[in-house]
Amino acid sequence: MSERVRSFDWSGTPVGAMETWSPSLRLAVDMMLATNFPMALRWGPELCLIYNDAYAPALHELHPSALGMLFTEHSQEFQASLRAMHSDILAGTSGGYALEKMPLSLKRAGDSGARIGHFTISYSPVPDTAFPTGVGGVLITAVELTEAVETERTLRDIERRYRLAIEAAGDIGAWDWDIQADKVYADAGYAALHSLSPDYVEAGLPVKSFTAAVHPEDRERIRQISLAAMEKGGDFADEYRLVQSDGSIRWVYTRGSCYLDDGGRPARNTGVVLDITERKAVEAALHAAQADLDLAVDAARMGRWDHNPDAGVRFWDSRARAIFGIADEVENTHEAFERQVHPDDLTGMRAAVAAALDPSGEGRINHEYRIRRADDGAQRWIETFGRAYYEGGRCTRFVGVISDVTERKETEAHLLLQEETLRLAVDAADLGIWELDVGSGQLTWSDRCYAMFGVPPGETVTLEAFYERLHADDLRPTRAAIAHALDPRVRAEFAIEFRAIGRDDGLERWIAAKGQAFFSPDGKATRLLGATVNITDRKRAETHLRLLVNELNHRVKNSLATIQALAAQSFNGKHSLPEAQEAFSNRIVALAEAHDLLTRENWEGAELHDIASRLAKLHGGPARFELVGPSIRLSPRTALSLSMALHELATNAVKYGALSAPGGRILISWDLAPGSGAERLDLIWSEGGGPPVKPPTQRGFGSRLIERGLAAELSGEASIRFEPDGVVCHIRALLDA
């Protein structure tokens, strides 16, 4: 860049030829070209660009043509971002600006593409008395902080994953001992192992509060380990026992580090403790079993083999032969052995043997493989341990033992299946993990959280952006819940259900969120961690249930009123008690049939064809009924009323009309009534083939139910004509009454 600047034709720019440059401009350019730090200079009112080699990567494809470029030649976005800042500096109203941790896209030599770097960029005035404001240009310097920013981000990620791992593990506790203040701060797991209240432990307790739980036989040893770590600093680890409040003993494994201050004095002691009681129980059982194992090996309970590859001699004891299903009298050649090894495991087995027989290796084998037993063909898992011995670079002996580990492998396979099932269950729960940085208002979401809020994964999300996605009715309670969780005087558990409107998909989702805030030693909230789960389906189910209950209440009241009316009309004294009982029973059955049909449809309505078909089936089926009409959906109210009307018509037809004669038939036809406005049903009941019909001297309950009740109930009209060939009923009613 020094050569380019010196050879550039500046006379064609507002800066002018180099020999006309002012001392201030020459000094600024010389200083900039002499340094390895990224620097650039924009000179004069036109802000003409001059820069050094270290600044070039930030210009990408504009380099080197950007030399001498005027500010107005840059993109509109670039000008809009920095115009006011440069104008203030040139006008002498500002002493400069500094932008910290600013991300910039860089492309250095050797890079396959652009990458993001972080810089602290300063804009400073360059004095020059030749200009009216006393400022000739703007000096731009950049200090790269990429490594520091990436390290800080990595540390945050590690800390978050560590905390989540601690919480997920359940049997792990963590502590941090401020030695000089004698305050131990620990989580709930550590507190539980020491039979202490989590609230007090979180606030910090003296170390004596914890040492009281250490088993008396382990207490002095642990004290010495702690003192040694405090003397020199560094890591430590040990296992010891803790006496619980109920007198039981828990074994724990602890691992931590002691940190010294600048004066060499112990400052902090921090680490984790793991409950290993179950492991200790297993170890005790293993130690007890070791003696039995030794006896078993001595007594040939495990299969023993002894090979001399150099001489081609092979020996298997009876137990080894029994494991492989080989009779004692059968010669066990190497070829016969390989034929029993599962084809998928043969290559691995050969490689393990070759590695063990390699003089440059460790000379050991520990391998698992499958076989097919020679006698019964059963598949078994075999584990072999062995060691090779060499003389003169040749293997003279290769000895070891084998055991049948089929049950263990089956157990491992079962555990793997359980783990996969658990993972699928977590995925199916639609669970998302999130973290709020209280200071910056920055939210960190898992992919499932992004999906719940309809935002593409990876986008930067702030707390305010989260609030913008909430349903208006849920915004205030959600803000209040977060405020209570972050209030050091309250420290409430964050647990709330709210609706979120997807930013990109516009979908409304019900979300249940639960979390906990973490506070600094001075009581300020620093983080809020938690999880969310999509409960939209549950909320919809609850809403649907409420609607069903309300509808049921309404239907029960209507049904009771209907039954009351049926009873009043059936037992009005005009008919004998047996006749009235039969009529009432038949009407109740018809009402029940209609209710049954609606129940199967969740009381959302019914098809007219289904209603007519059920009636026809009760009174002779297709031989007596002809049903003609399109598919029409009826509301629950219309379906009930029409069912009762058709029942009355059918009852009358059985007693006096077409259904009372062997050859009688009934035609039920329907269609949508012509005309505008709300849709209406047009239905005609026509009887034929029955006895001659005469108009009745007075109308019965059935006729009144149809002509008056049905018309009023369905906001329509109904008429019954007693034609000589048979009864004709014409019904017109609203579909959605």
Side-chain angles (χ1 to χ4, degrees):
M1 285 308 299
S2 179
E3 294 176 0
R4 287 192 175 98
V5 171
R6 312 246 180 245
S7 62
F8 191 80
D9 183 10
W10 294 101
S11 61
T13 70
V15 178
M18 289 190 70
E19 56 268 19
T20 66
W21 285 6
S22 68
S24 294
L25 176 56
R26 287 181 178 276
L27 176 61
V29 171
D30 290 342
M31 178 182 66
M32 176 181 64
L33 295 176
T35 182
N36 291 327
F37 289 100
M39 296 182 68
L41 179 67
R42 294 190 181 276
W43 193 258
E46 299 83 2
L47 296 171
C48 186
L49 180 62
I50 309 171
Y51 59 93
N52 64 6
D53 290 288
Y55 193 83
L59 297 172
H60 293 280
E61 64 276 1
L62 293 179
H63 171 70
S65 60
L67 187 63
M69 179 182 288
L70 304 184
F71 190 75
T72 55
E73 295 175 339
H74 287 281
S75 67
Q76 293 297 322
E77 292 82 4
F78 181 83
Q79 294 183 53
S81 300
L82 300 176
R83 184 187 304 278
M85 186 186 304
H86 284 77
S87 298
D88 289 346
I89 294 175
L90 289 178
T93 59
S94 173
Y97 297 90
L99 304 178
E100 296 184 357
K101 296 183 181 179
M102 184 176 182
L104 293 178
S105 179
L106 303 176
K107 188 173 183 181
R108 293 191 170 95
D111 289 348
S112 59
R115 66 182 185 87
I116 298 298
H118 293 82
F119 294 82
T120 293
I121 301 178
S122 62
Y123 298 84
S124 305
V126 179
D128 195 322
T129 57
F131 289 84
T133 63
V135 178
V138 179
L139 182 65
I140 306 168
T141 61
V143 177
E144 186 169 3
L145 305 171
T146 304
E147 183 175 353
V149 171
E150 292 178 349
T151 299
E152 180 181 349
R153 183 181 300 125
T154 300
L155 288 175
R156 287 200 304 268
D157 291 343
I158 291 174
E159 182 181 358
R160 182 173 64 254
R161 289 195 296 270
Y162 167 77
R163 178 52 55 189
L164 290 175
I166 288 292
E167 293 175 355
D171 290 335
I172 294 180
W175 85 87
D176 187 354
W177 178 19
D178 184 341
I179 298 176
Q180 296 177 6
D182 192 19
K183 281 289 187 77
V184 177
Y185 304 92
D187 60 13
Y190 194 81
L193 287 171
H194 290 79
S195 304
L196 296 173
S197 168
D199 295 333
Y200 288 104
V201 171
E202 183 179 356
L205 291 174
V207 70
K208 287 185 177 181
S209 301
F210 299 88
T211 56
V214 178
H215 194 283
E217 296 178 6
D218 300 336
R219 194 171 297 161
E220 180 60 24
R221 176 170 50 83
I222 297 303
R223 191 178 76 87
Q224 292 300 326
I225 292 174
S226 178
L227 291 175
M230 292 169 62
E231 181 179 353
K232 298 181 180 180
D235 299 336
F236 59 87
D238 198 24
E239 298 176 359
Y240 58 95
R241 291 161 292 180
L242 290 175
V243 181
Q244 305 299 288
S245 57
D246 60 0
S248 62
I249 303 297
R250 306 297 295 179
W251 272 96
V252 296
Y253 169 77
T254 185
R255 184 177 183 86
S257 296
C258 186
Y259 301 92
L260 308 181
D261 62 15
D262 295 339
R265 296 173 300 175
R268 290 180 58 212
N269 184 311
T270 183
V272 296
V273 63
L274 172 65
D275 189 333
I276 59 170
T277 305
E278 293 184 4
R279 194 199 80 188
K280 280 293 187 178
V282 172
E283 287 179 355
L286 288 176
H287 286 310
Q290 186 63 45
D292 295 337
L293 182 60
D294 292 339
L295 292 174
V297 172
D298 292 341
R301 295 296 301 273
M302 295 182 67
R304 185 168 60 89
W305 50 267
D306 191 340
H307 297 172
N308 187 334
D310 189 44
V313 177
R314 297 169 57 84
F315 167 77
W316 281 24
D317 67 6
S318 59
R319 179 62 178 172
R321 287 175 171 271
I323 291 174
F324 274 78
I326 302 173
D328 291 342
E329 62 273 11
V330 176
E331 183 181 1
N332 179 28
T333 64
H334 182 70
E335 292 73 16
F337 160 71
E338 287 196 341
R339 282 196 299 270
Q340 287 187 250
V341 177
H342 193 286
D344 294 343
D345 298 342
L346 183 56
T347 300
M349 182 64 195
R350 287 173 174 173
V353 171
L357 298 180
D358 185 354
S360 62
E362 295 182 355
R364 297 180 182 275
I365 185 173
N366 178 12
H367 190 68
E368 295 177 354
Y369 57 96
R370 289 166 292 177
I371 65 166
R372 291 286 183 184
R373 288 169 51 91
D375 52 0
D376 58 10
Q379 178 176 293
R380 307 298 293 177
W381 273 98
I382 304 299
E383 182 175 22
T384 183
F385 293 89
R387 181 173 181 179
Y389 297 89
Y390 305 91
E391 290 183 8
R394 299 195 314 268
C395 180
T396 58
R397 193 179 181 194
F398 190 29
V399 298
V401 295
I402 60 172
S403 59
D404 189 326
V405 294
T406 305
E407 292 184 1
R408 193 197 77 198
K409 297 296 289 187
E410 291 175 348
T411 301
E412 291 175 354
H414 181 66
L415 289 176
L416 288 176
L417 178 61
Q418 286 184 325
E419 291 176 358
E420 179 63 16
T421 302
L422 178 60
R423 184 188 66 79
L424 292 174
V426 171
D427 290 342
D430 201 12
L431 188 67
I433 305 298
W434 52 267
E435 176 182 353
L436 170 64
D437 185 322
V438 178
S440 65
Q442 186 82 14
L443 274 168
T444 302
W445 281 353
S446 67
D447 288 348
R448 288 191 178 274
C449 280
Y450 280 106
M452 291 179 193
F453 288 87
V455 178
E459 285 197 15
T460 300
V461 183
T462 63
L463 183 59
E464 290 303 319
F466 159 74
Y467 286 143
E468 292 174 0
R469 302 268 59 82
L470 298 185
H471 191 284
D473 295 341
D474 299 334
L475 177 58
R476 179 175 294 178
T478 304
R479 282 183 177 271
I482 293 178
H484 279 84
L486 299 180
D487 189 339
R489 298 167 299 178
V490 180
R491 303 194 183 197
E493 180 185 23
F494 176 63
I496 194 170
E497 296 178 356
F498 55 83
R499 287 160 290 180
I501 311 300
R503 191 195 67 185
D504 294 343
D505 56 23
L507 296 178
E508 180 181 291
R509 300 176 179 87
W510 270 100
I511 295 174
K514 192 170 185 178
Q516 181 179 359
F518 294 85
F519 298 84
S520 64
D522 57 358
K524 293 183 179 179
T526 58
R527 293 184 304 153
L528 183 61
L529 294 178
T532 57
V533 62
N534 190 335
I535 59 171
T536 305
D537 291 342
R538 192 197 81 192
K539 283 293 186 178
R540 288 174 179 169
E542 291 175 355
T543 301
H544 184 63
L545 179 60
R546 287 195 297 271
L547 292 175
L548 286 179
V549 171
N550 293 336
E551 182 67 16
L552 178 62
N553 290 334
H554 175 69
R555 293 301 169 188
V556 168
K557 292 178 181 178
N558 287 350
S559 297
L560 292 176
T562 301
I563 293 172
Q564 185 178 22
L566 293 176
Q569 292 296 333
S570 300
F571 299 100
N572 56 10
K574 296 181 179 180
H575 301 282
S576 65
L577 182 59
E579 291 178 340
Q581 288 175 334
E582 181 181 1
F584 180 68
S585 177
N586 290 337
R587 286 164 179 161
I588 292 298
V589 169
L591 181 63
E593 286 284 330
H595 274 257
D596 182 55
L597 181 62
L598 288 172
T599 300
R600 288 192 287 110
E601 296 285 342
N602 292 324
W603 278 87
E604 295 177 355
E607 281 286 336
L608 177 53
H609 191 276
D610 291 341
I611 295 174
S613 296
R614 291 172 71 91
L615 179 75
K617 185 177 181 181
L618 290 173
H619 297 283
R624 309 297 297 271
F625 283 81
E626 180 180 359
L627 309 179
V628 179
S631 174
I632 295 180
R633 188 76 173 174
L634 304 179
S635 69
R637 181 178 179 182
T638 302
L640 278 175
S641 299
L642 191 60
S643 295
M644 295 301 298
L646 293 178
H647 166 74
E648 293 298 331
L649 289 170
T651 300
N652 183 72
V654 169
K655 291 182 177 181
Y656 315 110
L659 298 182
S660 67
R665 288 179 57 81
I666 296 175
L667 169 64
I668 305 178
S669 60
W670 64 84
D671 204 342
L672 292 177
S676 59
E679 290 186 324
R680 291 179 175 271
L681 169 69
D682 227 344
L683 183 143
I684 299 177
W685 169 288
S686 300
E687 299 184 19
V693 176
K694 295 181 180 180
T697 57
Q698 62 180 5
R699 300 283 181 158
F701 171 65
S703 299
R704 294 197 305 276
L705 172 69
I706 296 172
E707 293 180 326
R708 300 176 186 176
L710 185 64
E713 180 74 10
L714 302 182
S715 301
E717 56 188 26
S719 63
I720 300 177
R721 303 195 310 275
F722 295 92
E723 303 288 345
D725 294 336
V727 172
V728 177
C729 178
H730 185 194
I731 298 174
R732 177 168 290 182
L734 281 175
L735 283 182
D736 190 12

